[in-house]
Amino acid sequence: MISVVILTHNEETNIGRCLESVSWSDDILVVDSFSEDRTVEISKRQGARVIQRAFEDFSSQRNFASEHGNLKYEWVLHLDADEIVTPELRAELPTAMLGGKDAYRVSSKLIFDGKFLRHAGLFPWYQVRFGRTQKLRFKQVGHGQRETVEPGRIGMLKSSLLHFNFSKGLPDWIERHNRYSTAEAHQNIYGYADEDVAALDLLSIAPDRRRRAAKRIFRRLPCRASIRFIYMYLFRGGILDGKAGFTYCRLLAWYEWLIVLKEREIRAQARDRAQQ
């Protein structure tokens, strides 16, 4: 059997659908960051246990669940409330448990404007989300988390999650990415956790190392917002996703522009303090 951990904050729009997709588990733990809507009520009504903890970052919430959530089973699946476990992924998990690994990468299909963004969504985009409860831990990097499990102990699943990243509307996405851009800017300036990768890792067979190597190079380039749009829309094929792909690529360029502006502001503030 498998435990499931879901992070929430004001997720009444999403949590019911997410919980329904994991109703096969009899150990579902919702780690709620003191929601002000009906998230907790819906979670309990659908049979989940709920613990509340002030949000620090994604990694600490997930680690708290594994260490203090009294999870029943050896294996745990970590989710966000705007994600759905497909029947195909559910069917693959028991086999993965016998695969001799401590954790597994899971890809996600980004849904925007009712459309799966195969190209603009960088499918398959992998994150470690499934693993042994006592082994799988995370560290915070930028606005997201990264696993601490040794790469050789990580496998890869074939099936995907569905990710409804815009389910609460565009204003919510913009507000979240305004926060995320601040975290990214600080991380870029004060020490990024990608210093263990080099340019040659662009040729690595591990997708996460290729992605981290590309990101390390990219954040040193000029005109990053424009480059990101051109890369995502033309080179990664966002143009093939139609109007939804064009809109999403423009949003990603805006997000990159925010990061650049905040990096400039942080550096200027540091210079001002040094001159005082």
Side-chain angles (χ1 to χ4, degrees):
M1 296 295 289
I2 299 167
S3 297
V4 177
V5 169
I6 306 172
L7 305 187
T8 62
H9 179 250
N10 293 337
E11 293 287 355
E12 66 179 7
T13 301
N14 293 311
I15 189 61
R17 179 173 55 186
C18 179
L19 287 169
E20 184 177 352
S21 77
V22 293
S23 59
W24 40 264
S25 173
D26 67 349
D27 186 36
I28 303 173
L29 176 66
V30 170
V31 182
D32 181 70
S33 303
F34 295 97
S35 293
E36 299 169 342
D37 62 2
R38 297 172 56 244
T39 297
V40 172
E41 173 191 341
I42 295 171
S43 299
K44 291 181 177 179
R45 188 173 68 226
Q46 293 192 215
R49 294 186 292 123
V50 178
I51 57 176
Q52 291 187 298
R53 181 177 188 266
F55 186 83
E56 297 176 11
D57 53 48
F58 291 103
S59 62
S60 62
Q61 296 294 92
R62 298 195 194 282
N63 293 340
F64 179 83
S66 293
E67 295 165 5
H68 304 287
N70 296 317
L71 300 180
K72 291 173 59 175
Y73 299 115
E74 180 185 0
W75 288 82
V76 58
L77 177 65
H78 288 272
L79 299 174
D80 293 332
D82 60 357
E83 295 172 333
I84 290 180
V85 176
T86 62
E88 295 78 12
L89 178 58
R90 162 67 185 104
E92 188 177 358
L93 297 179
T95 302
M97 293 162 60
L98 303 175
K101 301 292 185 180
D102 290 330
Y104 286 88
R105 297 183 179 91
V106 183
S107 62
S108 63
K109 295 181 176 181
L110 178 62
I111 309 298
F112 174 56
D113 198 21
K115 181 181 179 64
F116 162 39
L117 298 184
R118 176 177 294 276
H119 305 283
L122 291 176
F123 181 79
W125 180 271
Y126 288 96
Q127 295 186 71
V128 172
R129 291 296 193 84
F130 183 57
R132 298 182 188 273
T133 302
Q134 299 303 317
K135 298 284 188 178
L136 181 55
R137 294 293 183 273
F138 299 92
K139 61 182 178 181
Q140 193 69 16
V141 178
H143 71 269
Q145 71 278 316
R146 183 176 301 152
E147 70 286 346
T148 61
V149 181
E150 294 182 5
R153 302 297 302 164
I154 301 174
M156 188 176 300
L157 300 181
K158 296 178 181 179
S159 305
S160 304
L161 296 164
L162 299 184
H163 186 195
F164 293 85
N165 199 20
F166 290 84
S167 55
K168 292 193 286 185
L170 188 58
D172 173 78
W173 188 93
I174 291 174
E175 190 275 331
R176 280 187 285 121
H177 282 73
N178 182 36
R179 297 198 314 271
Y180 296 166
S181 64
T182 301
E184 289 275 1
H186 278 277
Q187 196 77 42
N188 286 349
I189 291 175
Y190 293 117
Y192 213 84
D194 284 332
E195 300 307 319
D196 61 328
V197 297
L200 287 178
D201 282 301
L202 288 171
L203 305 176
S204 172
I205 61 173
D208 60 327
R209 292 195 70 83
R210 292 198 304 270
R211 175 170 55 85
R212 290 163 57 197
K215 192 169 185 178
R216 182 179 181 183
I217 295 171
F218 174 70
R219 68 175 184 266
R220 289 172 168 79
L221 297 177
C223 306
R224 278 163 35 195
S226 298
I227 291 173
R228 186 163 190 180
F229 175 79
I230 293 170
Y231 173 74
M232 294 298 302
Y233 192 62
L234 298 179
F235 290 90
R236 289 305 301 247
I239 190 173
L240 300 176
D241 290 324
K243 182 180 179 181
F246 175 77
T247 302
Y248 185 64
C249 290
R250 289 290 301 271
L251 287 171
L252 289 180
W254 170 82
Y255 174 59
E256 195 65 42
W257 179 64
L258 275 185
I259 296 172
V260 171
L261 290 179
K262 291 179 180 182
E263 287 174 5
R264 292 175 184 171
E265 182 177 64
I266 292 168
R267 290 190 178 98
Q269 291 172 345
R271 286 194 298 269
D272 289 343
R273 289 194 296 269
Q275 294 172 358
Q276 290 178 355

